[in-house]
Amino acid sequence: MEDRSAPISTGAANLLFAAPAMLLFATFVLLPLGASVYYAFTFWDGFSAPRWAGFANFARALTDTTFLMSFVHVILYILATLIFEVSFGLFMAVLLNSDRRGFSLMRGMFFAPVVLSMSAAGVLWKFVLDFRTGLLNSTLRSLGLGDWAQPWLAQPETALLFICIVSGWKYAGFYMVIFFAALRRIPRNLYEAAKLDGANGVQQFFAITLPMLKQNVIVCILLAVTGGFAGFDLFFTMTNGQPFGATEVPATWIIKQAFDQNQIGYGVALTVVLTVVVSLISIGYLKISERGNVTRY
């Protein structure tokens, strides 16, 4: 008996296979995203019915001095992460790029803080930096340097700096692993040829190592920038935006407005603004990288 059933086209078959993933994406990404955009245009406290606000929340965001200043703080934080995390991670990767005995252990020790949660790291370092009983000030006093003891997290001059240092301690090992893996792919004969030409270690780094790691550097910088704008848990556990708003970043201010002040609509509007800013920066950064023939997609 002849089978007259029509075969399923390739496009229809692909659509059927993709349907479950598309359904999940629409349910857990597109639907919440659309709801967020809607609530950004409303006055809503999370309990009563939302009231249409138009662009009032966005107009308020443009005049919210604390929110605008939080971008200054997060930019300073990102610049610091490029030094304490990316640059130092690259330095440690180059320094420990060897199969000598003990180097594997040193790499593991340097990577160890990465596995610790950011909240736990924040609480740990908050105790270390405590003015009265903290390990840092206690050590200074035991060395006869009690005049150097400071309330590190309670004064605007040092609070943000120490958050950046703790973030570097936490994530430098992550970037070290990325750079270390890339260093292993660089042909050793390039360094041997450079040595024959009389190049020292510094010259080899700038002539061979750094150019060969350009794509990795681009990716790490992008991760540092996007991760910096999303920074919350370390700021929340160590200072919660204090003292005097000196460590307020967009994420902490959004949480305060949305949940502490019960202004969900305004908090969502701030989130939309933050998302747009980060997206524009990321897209612009990638476009510049592609124009320089650094990255290929």
Side-chain angles (χ1 to χ4, degrees):
M1 183 175 181
E2 183 180 357
D3 185 6
R4 297 183 179 181
S5 59
I8 300 178
S9 64
T10 303
N14 293 339
L15 184 61
L16 287 175
F17 279 113
M22 294 171 62
L23 179 61
L24 291 175
F25 181 77
T27 303
F28 295 104
V29 177
L30 296 181
L31 185 61
L33 182 62
S36 298
V37 173
Y38 166 73
Y39 287 123
F41 289 93
T42 65
F43 295 122
W44 187 43
D45 59 4
F47 300 98
S48 59
R51 293 181 294 109
W52 185 253
F55 289 93
N57 287 329
F58 296 97
R60 177 184 172 187
L62 296 178
T63 58
D64 189 338
T65 55
T66 303
F67 181 62
L68 297 177
M69 199 64 192
S70 69
F71 278 93
V72 177
H73 298 155
V74 81
I75 289 173
L76 293 175
Y77 171 70
I78 290 172
L79 293 176
T81 59
L82 295 178
I83 299 173
F84 295 129
E85 296 179 17
V86 179
S87 299
F88 193 64
L90 174 58
F91 172 77
M92 292 303 298
V94 174
L95 186 65
L96 299 177
N97 184 23
S98 175
D99 294 325
R100 296 177 183 176
R101 177 177 296 182
F103 275 48
S104 297
L105 177 61
M106 294 176 64
R107 289 193 295 267
M109 293 176 61
F110 192 71
F111 182 79
V114 178
V115 302
L116 187 67
S117 72
M118 186 64 90
S119 298
V123 173
L124 171 65
W125 278 94
K126 188 174 182 180
F127 283 111
V128 171
L129 298 172
D130 184 81
F131 176 66
R132 293 183 176 85
T133 61
L135 178 62
L136 178 57
N137 284 339
S138 298
T139 302
L140 292 174
R141 294 186 184 102
S142 65
L143 296 175
L145 301 174
D147 294 338
W148 291 16
Q150 301 289 329
W152 307 107
L153 298 179
Q155 52 188 11
E157 297 80 6
T158 57
L160 183 59
L161 173 62
F162 273 89
I163 289 178
C164 296
I165 292 174
V166 173
S167 180
W169 170 84
K170 174 74 171 62
Y171 277 118
F174 170 76
Y175 294 104
M176 179 199 69
V177 170
I178 294 177
F179 288 124
F180 179 77
L183 286 171
R184 291 288 175 160
R185 297 197 302 267
I186 300 178
R188 304 307 304 174
N189 57 2
L190 296 178
Y191 294 101
E192 294 172 358
K195 288 180 181 180
L196 292 176
D197 290 337
N200 56 33
V202 176
Q203 293 172 331
Q204 292 176 31
F205 174 79
F206 286 103
I208 300 174
T209 305
L210 200 55
M212 296 293 288
L213 295 179
K214 276 188 177 180
Q215 292 188 9
N216 301 90
V217 171
I218 292 297
V219 171
C220 289
I221 291 176
L222 183 61
L223 290 175
V225 171
T226 55
F229 277 107
F232 167 74
D233 35 15
L234 188 62
F235 289 88
F236 178 76
T237 54
M238 292 188 68
T239 61
N240 195 22
Q242 300 304 317
F244 311 111
T247 60
E248 201 77 75
V249 291
T252 58
W253 186 243
I254 289 171
I255 294 298
K256 290 177 182 178
Q257 295 303 302
F259 299 104
D260 294 348
Q261 302 298 325
N262 292 329
Q263 299 179 21
I264 303 294
Y266 181 55
V268 174
L270 296 181
T271 304
V272 172
V273 173
L274 178 61
T275 302
V276 171
V277 169
V278 175
S279 299
L280 291 177
I281 291 175
S282 302
I283 293 173
Y285 180 76
L286 291 176
K287 290 295 183 182
I288 294 174
S289 302
E290 290 177 353
R291 188 177 303 172
N293 294 323
V294 176
T295 56
R296 290 285 189 270
Y297 293 97

